[in-house]
Amino acid sequence: MSQAALGRPEKLNWVTVPLIVLMVFQVLAVILVPLVWPLITAILSGDTTLASQDVQLARTVTGSAIAVAEVVQLIILVFTFLTYRAVVQGRSWGRIAAVVLFVLNILNFPFGTLLAVFGLIGAFDPDVQRYCSR
């Protein structure tokens, strides 16, 4: 069944596909961020100029930072998923949230910028705006 038959505008894919790609990137970040910990531990263990207390403090701070980054990545992933669902359902807050995500992703050069440009073009399309006015 075509999108026109479902009442969905043609450029809705310009919003939903970048959101799906952003979700894939977030899943990869959630998986890969913890893998930094062994690398940092190995670097700190090999540094003979640091005192053992400094190494322990660095490990604690780094471990905490990685844990916080993991939680933030999960929150962003859930928010992106909820935004995707809202856009597909035609909710106005979903389009607004997608615009916010795309504007923030402009800074993620080069792939985030490319996704953001396509997403913003789709989000500001008049048909998509009408579709997302519920």
Side-chain angles (χ1 to χ4, degrees), residues 16 18-24 26-27 73-89 93-94 97-98 101:
T16 57
L19 286 172
I20 291 170
V21 173
L22 289 175
M23 282 190 286
V24 169
Q26 287 303 125
V27 167
Q73 293 291 339
L74 285 170
I75 290 170
I76 293 170
L77 175 62
V78 169
F79 180 70
T80 306
F81 174 74
L82 293 175
T83 300
Y84 167 78
R85 285 196 45 197
V87 168
V88 169
Q89 294 171 357
W93 74 264
L101 284 171

Side-chain angles (χ1 to χ4, degrees), residues 12-65:
L12 187 64
N13 285 339
W14 287 45
V15 179
T16 57
V17 171
L19 286 172
I20 291 170
V21 173
L22 289 175
M23 282 190 286
V24 169
F25 285 158
Q26 287 303 125
V27 167
L28 289 173
V30 166
I31 293 169
L32 295 177
V33 164
L35 298 179
V36 173
W37 177 244
L39 176 66
I40 292 173
T41 302
I43 291 170
L44 290 174
S45 298
D47 191 351
T48 57
T49 62
L50 294 175
S52 63
Q53 292 173 341
D54 294 337
V55 171
Q56 187 58 34
L57 177 64
R59 285 181 182 165
T60 303
V61 170
T62 305
S64 299

